[in-house]
Amino acid sequence: MQIQLRHWLISLFMIGGLILGGCATPQAASSDSTNLATETTTTPATTASSPMSNLPRLEGKATVVMTVNGSPITIEVDGTHAPVTAGNFVDLVQRGTYDGLVFHRVVREPQPFVVQGGDPQGKDPNFPTERLGTGSFIDPATNQARYVPLEITPKGADKPVIGQTLKSARVSAVPELRHTRGAVAMARSSMPDSASSQFYFALADLPFLDGDYAVFGNVTQGMDVVDKIQQGDRIESAKVTKGAENLKK
């Protein structure tokens, strides 16, 4: 009973960090080690003025190999259950957006949680490290930040729930893509449709995040590499090795 209570309290603390992070200042968001949120100061680009049809989609699956500390991490990206989220990630990989970026948040205590990176500001070695975790991908075609909607497919459903958590949508089913160890998912602020380029690896099964954050893939090889990532390590390269033809822009 004491072990279950401790686990529940830790989970509650982590969820609280996620919720609070979306409303915090950039400095506060960066200092909260359990916060998956990213700071957004503009309206997400999935409003009526910029519909989802303008976003890349992945129709099927793709394989991405990310190299960190000289070793490969193989990610299966699932466009079947998260076509827009997966399409955004694969498009950013193809653009070279992730090459050279920093893992700015690594949380292993009090229990394994996440390794988070993908802030484009991290490519600048002079950018203050305490502000990493606040940036988004700026689309050169529009000179505006690109945001993707929260996209979660309930188990057994034909299409994803868009723009809402499963709880908000009153869906009781678990997601098709869950926060199991090795899951790859998008970080966001408190606004559901605010994910852009920042992502995280789940270091353990994190069922309390299911239905709130969009999982779009899974590490199939190289989880031992993920386990060794330290805060400040950089993504040396990220390449699409299979399924590039499934990306539709």
Side-chain angles (χ1 to χ4, degrees):
M1 179 64 71
Q2 290 180 340
I3 293 175
Q4 290 178 336
L5 179 61
R6 179 176 178 272
H7 179 75
W8 181 82
L9 289 171
I10 291 172
S11 299
L12 184 63
F13 171 71
M14 288 180 173
I15 293 172
L18 297 173
I19 295 171
L20 294 174
C23 301
T25 62
Q27 290 79 7
S30 295
S31 63
D32 183 356
S33 63
T34 61
N35 176 8
L36 293 181
T38 61
E39 194 71 12
T40 57
T41 56
T42 56
T43 302
T46 52
T47 61
S49 62
S50 182
M52 282 178 53
S53 59
N54 290 342
L55 297 172
R57 298 176 64 89
L58 186 68
E59 298 178 356
K61 294 185 178 182
T63 301
V64 169
V65 175
M66 188 173 287
T67 302
V68 180
N69 294 325
S71 298
I73 302 166
T74 302
I75 303 168
E76 181 182 74
V77 185
D78 190 339
T80 302
H81 298 110
V84 175
T85 311
N88 176 70
F89 182 76
V90 171
D91 178 62
L92 295 181
V93 169
Q94 288 190 332
R95 291 171 180 266
T97 301
Y98 292 116
D99 296 353
L101 295 192
V102 173
F103 287 102
H104 60 272
R105 184 174 294 123
V106 177
V107 182
R108 294 192 173 94
E109 298 293 341
Q111 62 187 36
F113 188 43
V114 300
V115 170
Q116 183 176 335
D119 184 343
Q121 299 171 122
K123 196 162 288 191
D124 179 0
N126 297 318
F127 190 84
T129 56
E130 66 273 12
R131 289 182 58 196
L132 288 175
T134 64
S136 302
F137 168 68
I138 304 301
D139 191 332
T142 62
N143 204 32
Q144 299 291 324
R146 179 209 281 173
Y147 298 108
V148 295
L150 181 61
E151 178 186 41
I152 303 174
T153 299
K155 194 169 186 62
D158 295 330
K159 58 183 179 180
V161 172
I162 300 293
Q164 299 181 77
T165 65
L166 293 193
K167 182 177 180 180
S168 296
R170 299 183 178 180
V171 175
S172 58
V174 299
E176 285 282 0
L177 303 177
R178 304 191 65 183
H179 282 82
T180 55
R181 171 172 157 80
V184 190
M186 294 301 290
R188 62 173 178 84
S189 76
S190 58
M191 295 185 291
D193 297 347
S194 58
S196 182
S197 60
Q198 293 187 46
F199 69 95
Y200 58 90
F201 295 111
L203 295 177
D205 292 350
L206 305 172
F208 55 91
L209 298 182
D210 286 345
D212 288 331
Y213 292 82
V215 175
F216 62 87
N218 190 68
V219 174
T220 57
Q221 290 183 315
M223 195 60 200
D224 58 320
V225 180
V226 176
D227 286 334
K228 295 175 183 176
I229 293 174
Q230 300 297 318
Q231 188 167 317
D233 287 349
R234 292 184 179 271
I235 300 169
E236 293 165 25
S237 66
K239 305 293 182 184
V240 180
T241 61
K242 185 179 179 181
E245 68 279 3
N246 294 331
L247 181 65
K248 312 299 179 183
K249 298 186 181 182

